[in-house]
Amino acid sequence: KNEVEQSPQNLTAQEGEFITINCSYSVGISALHWLQQHPGGGIVSLFMLSSGKKKHGRLIATINIQEKHSSLHITASHPRDSAVYICAVSKGNTPLVFGKGTRLSVIA
Amino acid sequence: KAGVTQTPRYLIKTRGQQVTLSCSPISGHRSVSWYQQTPGQGLQFLFEYFSETQRNKGNFPGRFSGRQFSNSRSEMNVSTLELGDSALYLCASRQATGANVLTFGAGSRLTVL
């Protein structure tokens, strides 16, 4: 079993829909990261969380430390949100451990 | 402020050759980490350098090596290339080790024939 599990693996949504991507992890962590990767490879760091909730524009990330679970929400989705979303966890100075990613396609 | 710069962006090599990839971090960032991304395995950590010292190493064979220079620029080298080394190699920088936000480069896509 991977230390970081994401669901769903693939997601297709209509423009305007509310989207949720989930991430569960099995080890104690000091931080959880949400990353976005567009076709072509570049990765952008969206959020780094250690507790609670963060919001940036239409993106919201939450984490429940007790349940070892995090969610990434996208409100009013748009085709430009189409990308792979990757969850990663870290503990202290140990390297990031990545989930397999969720491929999101938003159709106009 | 310039981002993380990786060179070359694309390269093709044949089995048995070696390759060197370069990463220039954001100015002021002293930590550089390297990752391999393949369709089958996803993103995997290779190694991290901080102030010219390797701080962490992933589970890769000794053919994969790296170093960091005094200006924080980093290189990674893969010797005796195998077909399975074909991948996107990404580097990321942050101000220090620990729970800091990472800034990724665009990656170097290596194809081994």
Side-chain angles (χ1 to χ4, degrees), chain B residues 22-94:
Chain B
S22 177
C23 175
S24 293
I26 288 176
S27 177
H29 285 194
R30 296 167 64 191
S31 168
V32 173
S33 50
W34 288 90
Y35 305 88
Q36 182 196 64
Q37 187 178 37
T38 59
Q41 298 296 321
L43 269 165
Q44 292 183 285
F45 170 78
L46 279 159
F47 24 67
E48 180 175 22
Y49 288 88
F50 179 77
S51 294
E52 301 178 68
T53 302
Q54 188 179 88
R55 289 303 179 95
N56 285 297
K57 189 176 192 304
N59 189 25
F60 279 81
R63 300 185 296 107
F64 292 80
S65 62
R67 58 179 175 167
Q68 186 180 35
F69 302 96
S70 58
N71 62 357
S72 293
R73 189 177 72 86
S74 178
E75 289 181 347
M76 67 162 282
N77 183 276
V78 188
S79 62
T80 320
L81 285 166
E82 300 176 359
L83 295 179
D85 297 331
S86 295
L88 180 67
Y89 291 88
L90 291 150
C91 84
S93 75
R94 52 184 173 177

Side-chain angles (χ1 to χ4, degrees), chain A residues 9-25:
Chain A
Q9 286 187 328
N10 295 282
L11 180 57
T12 299
Q14 293 291 325
E15 183 174 359
E17 284 187 6
F18 180 84
I19 289 163
T20 296
I21 299 170
N22 296 299
C23 175
S24 296
Y25 52 93

Side-chain angles (χ1 to χ4, degrees), chain A residues 37 45 48 93 95-96 100, chain B residues 37 41 45 56 98-99 102 104:
Chain A
Q37 186 173 33
S45 181
M48 186 182 72
N93 289 331
L96 287 180
K100 296 289 188 188
Chain B
Q37 187 178 37
Q41 298 296 321
F45 170 78
N56 285 297
L102 290 166
F104 285 83

Side-chain angles (χ1 to χ4, degrees), chain B residues 1-39:
Chain B
K1 174 161 149 174
V4 178
T5 303
Q6 290 190 246
T7 57
R9 289 292 315 279
Y10 303 91
L11 64 166
I12 301 173
K13 294 284 187 178
T14 56
R15 279 180 298 174
Q17 287 187 311
Q18 72 164 9
V19 66
T20 299
L21 309 177
S22 177
C23 175
S24 293
I26 288 176
S27 177
H29 285 194
R30 296 167 64 191
S31 168
V32 173
S33 50
W34 288 90
Y35 305 88
Q36 182 196 64
Q37 187 178 37
T38 59

